[in-house]
Amino acid sequence: RGIQAHRLCPPRGAGSSLEPEERSMEPPAVPEEEEDEEEAVPLSVAPGPVGCQLFGYVGIEAVLDQMKIKTMKTGFEFNIMVVGQSGLGKSTMVNTLFKSKVSRKSSQPSQEERIPKTVQLQSITHVIEEKGVKMKLTVTDTPGFGDQINNENCWDPIIKYINEQYERYLREEILITRKRKIPDTRVHGCVYFVPPTGHWLRPLDLEFMRRLSKIVNVVPVIAKADTLTLEERAEFKQRIQEDLKTHAISVYPQEDFDQDPEDKALNDRIREKIPFAVVGADQEHQVNGKRVLGRKTKWGIIEVENPAHCEFPLLQDLLIRSHLQDLKDITHNVHYESYRVRRLNESNRPG
């Protein structure tokens, strides 16, 4: 009260000696503002530097362990699509990538099964576990693509399938009562197998990648690269890169989505190597006392995981070890987002 009375006292000569006592009974309007201002001073202080030093251990880094434990319990989903002509080793490549029989391969297909009349999409889902981490893997194959005499619009069923997965996710997302975890069937990556012709990309290859790169992450690879010499492989790669640049086809990793200089430097090195010249094999052979995945020829064994023999390790690093989460993030934040905006705009149009 003494402090309050002292603050409320008017300056000398402002009134009679009774005024301070009368004013002390009134609601202190002006002093409250002053006190509020004094209390608000700490809020107006500029925050300290981002990298300020801590006085002791806080435990912020423990959130990484929490995220790891949660991911190991719940697992995660990864959906990959393989597209290319028959006989390019798509199923073998997928089995080599995940070192398990995740893609079906018919041992002796009938004549009708060898060349389907239309593009058919077949999806197989497996749960793969490694060191306690579970991954629900869905592999979608596209038998019949590029196998017909007239391949006009053979990409339509593939585009339709990808958009259907976006639509399914969108319907779950806009529900009033949503699931705690929406099942994710969206295609996170599409590996496109280019035939090892050694020449230029075919019109079919260019048109497919031009259309599909707008709605999904497309990773082109040169299939069965062991049929080309090292000189032919390098020349074919250069021609493919020129074709992609000439036709403004942006394959993964897209240059527009690089987050920071470190990501850009890493992705630039990857873009120099694309398309990867790969060789697939799901059989092991004995080489220098070690069991290795490879293809046996008259001239020796082509080791699939040897960077000197092929670029399969680069593809495996890109799809699984270094960019798997980035593939999922770009699918959600870029491709699915553009589809969601388009669909909501269509539904909001009058009439």
Side-chain angles (χ1 to χ4, degrees), residues 152-194:
E152 187 178 4
N153 299 330
C154 63
W155 46 77
D156 284 349
I158 299 172
I159 294 175
K160 181 183 177 184
Y161 174 83
I162 293 172
N163 286 330
E164 282 175 353
Q165 309 317 309
Y166 290 150
E167 182 68 23
R168 181 182 297 183
Y169 194 91
L170 178 62
R171 287 179 181 174
E172 291 286 346
E173 197 176 41
I174 62 178
L175 290 176
I176 297 175
T177 305
R178 297 191 297 184
K179 296 179 181 177
R180 190 170 180 182
K181 184 180 179 183
I182 300 176
D184 191 1
T185 59
R186 298 169 297 180
V187 178
H188 300 125
C190 173
V191 182
Y192 184 71
F193 287 71
V194 178

Side-chain angles (χ1 to χ4, degrees), residues 45-294:
V45 176
V50 177
C52 62
Q53 282 192 338
L54 304 176
F55 295 114
Y57 178 73
V58 178
I60 300 172
E61 50 88 19
V63 70
L64 297 175
D65 295 331
Q66 298 172 32
M67 294 168 65
K68 181 180 178 181
I69 292 170
K70 188 174 182 180
T71 303
M72 291 177 70
K73 285 182 178 179
T74 60
F76 62 96
E77 294 140 326
F78 185 59
N79 309 314
I80 188 171
M81 175 183 282
V82 288
V83 182
Q85 284 180 289
S86 301
L88 293 180
K90 300 187 297 294
S91 301
T92 303
M93 178 58 62
V94 173
N95 292 339
T96 311
L97 272 173
F98 299 98
K99 295 189 176 180
S100 56
K101 304 289 184 181
V102 294
S103 183
R104 71 162 64 100
K105 229 177 14 172
S106 54
S107 54
Q108 290 183 346
S110 63
Q111 188 66 25
E112 295 178 357
E113 291 175 340
R114 283 178 188 171
I115 305 178
K117 293 181 180 180
T118 57
V119 178
Q120 303 170 358
L121 282 87
Q122 301 173 351
S123 295
I124 308 172
T125 301
H126 297 272
V127 176
I128 302 175
E129 185 172 354
E130 184 180 36
K131 295 183 179 180
V133 180
K134 294 180 181 178
M135 180 174 72
K136 185 180 179 182
L137 173 69
T138 300
V139 180
T140 303
D141 197 359
T142 56
F145 177 84
D147 293 337
Q148 311 301 321
I149 296 175
N150 181 9
N151 291 300
E152 187 178 4
N153 299 330
C154 63
W155 46 77
D156 284 349
I158 299 172
I159 294 175
K160 181 183 177 184
Y161 174 83
I162 293 172
N163 286 330
E164 282 175 353
Q165 309 317 309
Y166 290 150
E167 182 68 23
R168 181 182 297 183
Y169 194 91
L170 178 62
R171 287 179 181 174
E172 291 286 346
E173 197 176 41
I174 62 178
L175 290 176
I176 297 175
T177 305
R178 297 191 297 184
K179 296 179 181 177
R180 190 170 180 182
K181 184 180 179 183
I182 300 176
D184 191 1
T185 59
R186 298 169 297 180
V187 178
H188 300 125
C190 173
V191 182
Y192 184 71
F193 287 71
V194 178
T197 60
H199 303 297
W200 300 88
L201 286 175
R202 302 168 303 169
L204 172 63
D205 304 326
L206 291 170
E207 191 62 23
F208 175 86
M209 287 191 278
R210 186 184 69 80
R211 291 173 180 264
L212 269 291
S213 60
K214 297 175 182 177
I215 63 171
V216 72
N217 299 314
V218 177
V219 181
V221 298
I222 300 173
K224 294 193 172 181
D226 52 327
T227 60
L228 300 172
T229 65
L230 295 178
E231 292 78 11
E232 290 171 341
R233 183 193 303 178
E235 190 176 351
F236 190 32
K237 265 188 162 197
Q238 187 176 357
R239 288 176 176 175
I240 291 175
Q241 291 173 356
E242 291 174 3
D243 276 343
L244 294 176
K245 190 177 294 184
T246 302
H247 293 83
I249 298 173
S250 180
V251 296
Y252 184 84
Q254 300 91 334
E255 197 168 355
D256 296 338
F257 306 147
D258 290 340
Q259 297 280 336
D260 51 53
E262 290 185 1
D263 289 346
K264 186 178 185 307
L266 173 62
N267 291 338
D268 282 343
R269 291 196 297 270
I270 295 173
R271 283 187 279 264
E272 290 175 0
K273 299 286 186 180
I274 282 182
F276 299 126
V278 298
V279 178
D282 49 11
Q283 293 184 354
E284 289 187 338
H285 299 278
Q286 194 85 13
V287 177
N288 297 328
K290 295 181 181 179
R291 302 289 295 178
V292 297
L293 283 171

